[in-house]
Amino acid sequence: MVQWFMALSPVQQASLATLFTWGMTALGASLVFFFKTIHRKVLDGMLGAAAGVMIAASFWSLLAPAIEMAENAGQTPWLPAVIGFLSGGAFLWGVDKLLPHLHLGFPTSEAEGISTSWRRSTLLCLAVTLHNIPEGLAVGVAFGALAADLPSASLAGAVALALGIGLQNLPEGTAVSVPLRREGVSRGKSFWYGQLSGMVEPVAGVIGALAVIWMQPLLPYALSFAAGAMIYVVVEEVIPESQLARNTDLATVGAMCGFALMMTLDVALG
């Protein structure tokens, strides 16, 4: 199985890796078939862990390789990282202002983005979908970087990133499906909306892989762009949502554990 995966092209590897992360979102959403509610403390701890994984992945799997690649190419090491990082945050800021969505725990009247009459279930799903765009891009860019045959881009590192993103997708699927079930939506529809939020990751993954293969000189910028987009999501959405019910210590411990897990995966495998 390992040899077969290694023989695939980077785009095919990115496709399979992001299908895995989507599958983990669906696995998290499937908990709705067993539970109608989930304790808020459990959810906050899971969201905190997801934030920790995303923060660690942003540096260990994206920013650090971007700086190393720029340095090896004779560029100013920090410049591509800064430009890409801020561009990724600006991109998500723009999407956040335009895409109608609703954060967990907030009433429908506080939906963000362009005003719409869409249902609460759709708005919740779109909020998590917004999280998953940079995650899919990050995995795709990491695998696409393998085509550049650079020392700082390794298959093990890309796999570690996909594993970390997949693990933190579990609570995201649950965070959509279980609250919808609690509000009276059927189990089937709750699961559908929960897994639907992860469907964007394979699309974003393939786009990210193709982009860096076609434009290899932009690779440090692409890696940093994905990092900036993920950090924007973490600071603007995931961390505030994890502390909304004032379970701040639990969410913080979850973030620390998530960070440590992703750091271990990246260093041990990458």
Side-chain angles (χ1 to χ4, degrees):
M1 178 65 74
V2 175
Q3 294 296 328
W4 171 79
F5 184 78
M6 292 177 64
L8 298 175
S9 71
V11 174
Q12 291 172 320
Q13 290 172 344
S15 299
L16 289 176
T18 46
L19 283 172
F20 162 74
T21 60
W22 175 19
M24 293 297 281
T25 305
L27 181 61
S30 70
L31 292 180
V32 75
F33 293 111
F34 306 98
F35 305 100
K36 187 173 182 178
T37 61
I38 184 169
H39 200 286
R40 183 68 207 197
K41 287 187 176 181
V42 174
L43 183 59
D44 288 344
M46 294 170 72
L47 287 172
V53 167
M54 293 174 73
I55 293 170
S58 295
F59 176 74
W60 295 100
S61 299
L62 299 171
L63 282 174
I67 293 171
E68 185 178 347
M69 288 175 187
E71 187 174 17
N72 291 338
Q75 304 176 28
T76 304
W78 55 266
L79 188 59
V82 170
I83 293 174
F85 184 82
L86 294 178
S87 298
F91 171 76
L92 257 292
W93 179 84
V95 174
D96 190 62
K97 298 303 178 186
L98 293 175
L99 182 70
H101 61 283
L102 178 66
H103 298 309
L104 296 172
F106 287 88
T108 307
S109 59
E110 295 189 27
E112 298 180 9
I114 296 175
S115 179
T116 179
S117 59
W118 292 349
R119 294 181 178 180
R120 178 179 176 85
S121 56
T122 303
L123 293 172
L124 284 169
C125 179
L126 286 174
V128 181
T129 300
L130 187 62
H131 295 184
N132 291 339
I133 292 174
E135 294 167 11
L137 282 174
V139 174
V141 167
F143 279 97
L146 300 176
D149 198 25
L150 296 172
S152 44
S154 69
L155 177 60
V159 169
L161 177 61
L163 285 173
I165 295 296
L167 289 173
Q168 68 92 39
N169 275 358
L170 275 168
E172 291 188 347
T174 305
V176 174
S177 63
V178 172
L180 290 178
R181 176 60 182 158
R182 189 169 59 244
E183 293 176 8
V185 180
S186 69
R187 294 183 189 275
K189 284 187 176 181
S190 297
F191 169 76
W192 170 254
Y193 281 113
Q195 65 81 34
L196 189 64
S197 62
M199 194 177 292
V200 70
E201 290 198 9
V203 177
V206 171
I207 291 173
L210 289 173
V212 298
I213 290 173
W214 291 339
M215 299 176 288
Q216 287 190 13
L218 297 179
L219 183 53
Y221 295 91
L223 288 166
S224 303
F225 181 95
M230 287 216 295
I231 291 296
Y232 181 92
V233 167
V234 170
V235 177
E236 205 270 342
E237 297 181 15
V238 181
I239 290 178
E241 288 170 11
S242 71
Q243 303 200 2
L244 189 63
R246 302 189 183 280
N247 296 314
T248 54
D249 288 344
L250 183 60
T252 301
V253 170
M256 296 290 289
C257 292
F259 186 99
L261 173 63
M262 186 64 227
M263 180 174 62
T264 302
L265 283 174
D266 193 275
V267 175
L269 298 180

